[in-house]
Amino acid sequence: MTLLPWIEINNFRGISHLQYEPKQVNLLIGRNNSGKSTILEAIYAVLMGKEVPTIFNQGRYLNRYGINVHAERASISADNHDFFISCSLSDLPADFSEKIVEKLNLVLFHNAKFTPSPFYQKKFIDYLINSRMVSFSVLDGNLRSIDVTPYKGFSEKLAADSQSIFAGADISPEDLQEYLYQFCRMSYGFSENVDANVGNIRFINNSDKLFYQVTADPLELIELDKFVLEHNLLPNVERLMEDGVVYRENDETYFLPYTVHGTGFSILLNLISTIRQCRDGVLLIEEPENHMHPGYLQVFVENLMLLARKLNVQVFLTTHSYDLIEAFANYSQYDEEESVEERDLIQITRIVKRRDEHELYNYTPSEAFAEMVEMKMDLRGT
Amino acid sequence: MRKKRVVLCEGQHDLIFLSLLLGAENQSVVSKNWGQICGASDLSGESVTIKNFLRSRCTASYLLKQDENRNTCIHQMWIIYSYEREYPIKVVLDSDNGVTLDTLKNEMHKKMRKDLLNQESSNLFRLKKEEESGVFLYPVTLTKEVKRVTGKALDSVRGVDLQKEILQEFISNAPEWVHELRDFLLH
């Protein structure tokens, strides 16, 4: 199932307007500055309520970003075509912001499983107004009548978190913002498969790939161990451990920590391990090809497809790699039984920025293959 | 650096004709046929050919490509249009009694999902957002028009030099549409 079947981005970073219909596994290609990473960051921002943490912004939250800059507002649509926007209350007409507060009151308190005391209700609304940020849903420019039915199915975790917020527990304002964002996102009936556990939404940017930490979970280690052996990623491997690899050679065993292994190997393990943690969620990866041999890329694509389907993960990748595009375009090309269904899961999207407008050209793997092979075009752009 | 332009055409006669037309205007030309484009790279020969042409060390102003009558010019034009480009693209084709124009429009709607053509005359269609790019349709098949003007059948002549001579003679006595084509290629 595709968690995000339709995406609209307005005035977010370099993108003024863009509509996009992704599939389960999406490969975004295009020149530098064409907006590939911005799409990934917009998806992350709307699902998490904060920016992708980078060395430049240290993971600033959208409220700070939006208020300070005033030009950067993210809007994204879910499968029900509702808009989710982040903006400053002070930017809105007074009567409109009053309606928002009124509706917030209704959504947050009147139909909730938990009902804080009026004192904390006021405190919370004041906090929202003072922080000058609120996430809400609008349709055709007006607050729609709010259906609280989906809200009733909230996880206990979120309810417990919210309880502790209102009770003045030790929660940072940043965490509060994130919970609030998740809370509002959920309250408008965003896909039920994206639950309040933000752990199933992962963004792997270029620097993250290099910091690999194998899970301490023994079951996960066994799976990774199997994976390394099955694909013969390293010769003579006996066992994968939490902090390194045990090898056997001529009846002798020896241990080597991950730090002495190649970057490509670590990145591949990191990526595969991360996909496994994204069950029923969204995985965003920037340029997975970096540091990896084309042979590893093939293994990566095969396992990505397998796990994405098995674990119901929607994947968004950006790339500049011809090898990766070819691997996707060629996927299941010669396996007639599986090819049709599996190729339907893949979409290759070429983004072209022309006079500040972003144009998207979508390809099925076979269309991409035809354009590459028959028309001799370089899909990455000329 | 002189502005570089890419011209797509259908066959060998067109290639010679357009080369002569541009040569007469002191424009330097590189010509490629489909076989040469495929030979440039297994997967991205088209892109490699274009990139080589655009490099500063290539001094030619025009890249003329003929698809050896494979009938792919229109399809390819819209594919190339969909890429980011720093060069105008010009397509020169036989009108084929209106069939070519229909195909051009059908492919445009299929690939681009919008109307990008601006009709300037019965032969010339420029792109709305990129006026230097466009399509020129010969009102009459080139070989027929050459026969009418020069009395010589281009098809029955095999040597390239002889074909050049005939086409040169044709250009010297060219009908009005050839002047329009020349303007389109130059501007």
Side-chain angles (χ1 to χ4, degrees):
Chain A
M1 183 191 159
T2 307
L3 303 176
L4 300 171
W6 190 74
I7 291 171
E8 179 174 341
I9 298 170
N10 290 309
N11 299 329
F12 185 73
R13 298 197 197 287
I15 296 179
S16 54
H17 178 71
L18 182 146
Q19 287 184 338
Y20 174 38
E21 287 180 54
K23 288 192 176 178
Q24 184 151 4
V25 177
N26 303 281
L27 188 63
L28 298 164
I29 52 182
R31 286 182 177 184
N32 289 122
N33 292 325
S34 60
K36 304 182 296 296
S37 298
T38 306
I39 293 178
L40 263 55
E41 288 169 12
I43 293 169
Y44 184 86
V46 83
L47 292 175
M48 298 293 284
K50 63 181 179 180
E51 282 186 274
V52 175
T54 67
I55 51 170
F56 300 112
N57 63 26
Q58 299 296 322
R60 286 179 301 181
Y61 284 75
L62 282 181
N63 61 322
R64 255 181 259 169
Y65 200 92
I67 290 162
N68 292 339
V69 180
H70 281 285
E72 301 263 355
R73 292 176 188 176
S75 107
I76 189 164
S77 300
D79 46 358
N80 56 4
H81 289 207
D82 284 349
F83 284 90
F84 289 83
I85 67 169
S86 298
C87 77
S88 161
L89 271 178
S90 60
D91 284 347
L92 301 167
D95 58 339
F96 192 51
S97 64
E98 273 169 28
K99 279 182 191 166
I100 290 166
V101 172
E102 195 182 306
K103 291 285 182 187
L104 264 174
N105 239 317
L106 177 75
V107 171
L108 292 174
F109 308 123
H110 287 205
N111 294 284
K113 281 180 183 171
F114 54 91
T115 312
S117 67
F119 171 76
Y120 282 115
Q121 285 185 24
K122 186 176 181 309
K123 196 174 164 187
F124 191 45
I125 294 289
D126 282 347
Y127 177 84
L128 291 179
I129 294 167
N130 290 333
S131 69
R132 302 168 73 207
M133 178 266 190
V134 65
S135 303
F136 58 95
S137 169
V138 290
L139 198 60
D140 298 325
N142 294 304
L143 273 174
R144 69 187 177 107
S145 132
I146 292 165
D147 174 15
V148 291
T149 318
Y151 161 71
K152 287 174 184 164
F154 274 12
S155 73
E156 288 181 10
K157 181 184 177 298
L158 185 62
D161 287 342
S162 306
Q163 287 277 24
S164 58
I165 292 163
F166 301 133
D170 184 19
I171 289 179
S172 67
E174 285 78 13
D175 283 346
L176 175 62
Q177 284 300 313
E178 187 172 332
Y179 289 137
L180 169 71
Y181 194 89
Q182 296 293 326
F183 181 92
C184 291
R185 177 167 68 80
M186 294 295 292
S187 70
Y188 291 101
F190 201 74
S191 172
E192 287 174 6
N193 286 314
V194 182
D195 62 25
N197 175 13
V198 294
N200 58 14
I201 297 158
R202 292 290 166 94
F203 190 110
I204 305 181
N205 59 26
N206 284 328
S207 52
D208 288 342
K209 277 179 285 193
L210 297 170
F211 297 102
Y212 176 56
Q213 281 189 317
V214 172
T215 172
D217 179 355
L219 292 178
E220 181 64 31
L221 264 177
I222 290 170
E223 289 296 330
L224 277 178
D225 191 50
K226 239 168 67 182
F227 170 76
V228 172
L229 290 172
E230 258 176 31
H231 294 92
N232 197 21
L233 294 185
L234 289 173
N236 306 323
V237 170
E238 180 73 12
R239 192 162 170 207
L240 216 62
M241 309 288 284
E242 194 183 335
D243 47 357
V245 183
V246 177
Y247 290 90
R248 177 180 288 278
E249 211 167 350
N250 301 328
D251 293 331
E252 273 185 40
T253 55
Y254 56 96
F255 173 83
L256 291 176
Y258 287 116
T259 47
V260 303
H261 288 79
T263 317
F265 171 73
S266 301
I267 289 174
L268 181 59
L269 280 192
N270 190 4
L271 293 176
I272 297 297
S273 177
T274 310
I275 300 168
R276 303 179 66 83
Q277 295 159 22
C278 287
R279 182 184 287 274
D280 296 325
V282 175
L283 175 64
L284 309 150
I285 310 178
E286 259 189 329
E287 299 174 15
E289 70 272 12
N290 291 352
H291 311 284
M292 273 207 265
H293 184 271
Y296 273 12
L297 274 182
Q298 196 69 41
V299 173
F300 167 70
V301 170
E302 281 169 16
N303 282 277
L304 179 81
M305 291 305 300
L306 186 75
L307 292 172
R309 201 156 67 148
K310 193 170 148 194
L311 304 176
N312 187 32
V313 182
Q314 190 174 20
V315 186
F316 295 84
L317 309 162
T318 65
T319 190
H320 290 291
S321 160
Y322 210 94
D323 289 313
L324 190 65
I325 300 169
E326 204 182 344
F328 275 104
N330 259 323
Y331 189 75
S332 302
Q333 199 80 21
Y334 304 106
D335 188 349
E336 290 300 322
E337 282 182 15
E338 287 187 66
S339 59
V340 176
E341 192 186 343
E342 294 222 336
R343 270 186 269 169
D344 273 353
L345 301 179
I346 302 172
Q347 180 165 268
I348 299 171
T349 301
R350 189 162 53 78
I351 307 172
V352 175
K353 191 176 178 185
R354 209 192 302 273
R355 294 196 178 118
D356 294 331
E357 281 180 27
H358 290 77
E359 295 173 4
L360 265 56
Y361 297 93
N362 296 324
Y363 300 86
T364 61
S366 50
E367 285 168 349
F369 193 78
E371 197 156 311
M372 287 161 79
V373 176
E374 288 166 20
M375 303 308 292
K376 305 289 175 190
M377 298 300 291
D378 185 343
L379 287 184
R380 299 170 302 175
T382 49
Chain B
M1 196 172 76
R2 297 168 84 174
K3 187 155 190 177
K4 299 198 173 195
R5 300 170 174 101
V6 175
V7 182
L8 306 183
C9 62
E10 285 177 301
Q12 186 65 19
H13 294 153
D14 300 316
L15 195 74
I16 298 171
F17 169 56
L18 296 172
S19 301
L20 290 172
L21 204 58
L22 287 165
E25 299 296 322
N26 295 322
Q27 299 293 330
S28 49
V29 169
V30 178
S31 57
K32 297 276 177 192
N33 60 37
W34 184 246
Q36 289 169 314
I37 290 168
C38 294
S41 168
D42 279 349
L43 289 172
S44 55
E46 171 74 30
S47 307
V48 170
T49 305
I50 296 268
K51 278 174 197 162
N52 285 340
F53 167 65
L54 294 177
R55 281 192 185 127
S56 57
R57 68 168 180 262
C58 175
T59 52
S61 303
Y62 285 82
L63 172 64
L64 299 184
K65 296 188 293 173
Q66 60 115 337
D67 76 343
E68 293 168 355
N69 296 309
R70 292 165 62 253
N71 230 0
T72 57
C73 283
I74 292 174
H75 183 53
Q76 190 159 30
M77 177 202 166
W78 292 123
I79 287 180
I80 293 175
Y81 178 81
S82 76
Y83 282 70
E84 282 170 319
R85 290 170 288 104
E86 289 94 15
Y87 56 88
I89 178 165
K90 295 168 186 283
V91 182
V92 182
L93 300 170
D94 187 343
S95 68
D96 201 10
N97 295 322
V99 175
T100 308
L101 183 58
D102 288 344
T103 313
L104 181 71
K105 287 182 176 174
N106 288 341
E107 286 270 342
M108 174 181 69
H109 289 296
K110 199 169 124 192
K111 178 86 182 164
M112 312 306 298
R113 292 179 184 166
K114 52 188 166 185
D115 186 3
L116 295 163
L117 292 175
N118 197 7
Q119 183 164 7
E120 268 195 16
S121 71
S122 55
N123 306 322
L124 180 57
F125 298 81
R126 290 189 191 268
L127 297 185
K128 281 176 184 167
K129 287 187 179 175
E130 298 177 37
E131 289 190 347
E132 270 209 64
S133 296
V135 182
F136 186 91
L137 302 175
Y138 298 137
V140 186
T141 306
L142 184 65
T143 46
K144 281 185 186 167
E145 192 74 333
V146 170
K147 181 87 187 283
R148 186 184 67 78
V149 173
T150 65
K152 293 168 186 168
L154 206 51
D155 286 338
S156 57
V157 177
R158 294 210 172 234
V160 173
D161 288 340
L162 280 175
Q163 287 176 353
K164 276 186 181 175
E165 267 181 38
I166 295 171
L167 285 165
Q168 194 65 65
E169 188 185 336
F170 170 68
I171 289 169
S172 308
N173 304 290
E176 188 55 36
W177 64 261
V178 176
H179 301 295
E180 191 183 7
L181 171 60
R182 184 188 288 124
D183 284 346
F184 166 62
L185 293 172
L186 293 174
H187 305 294

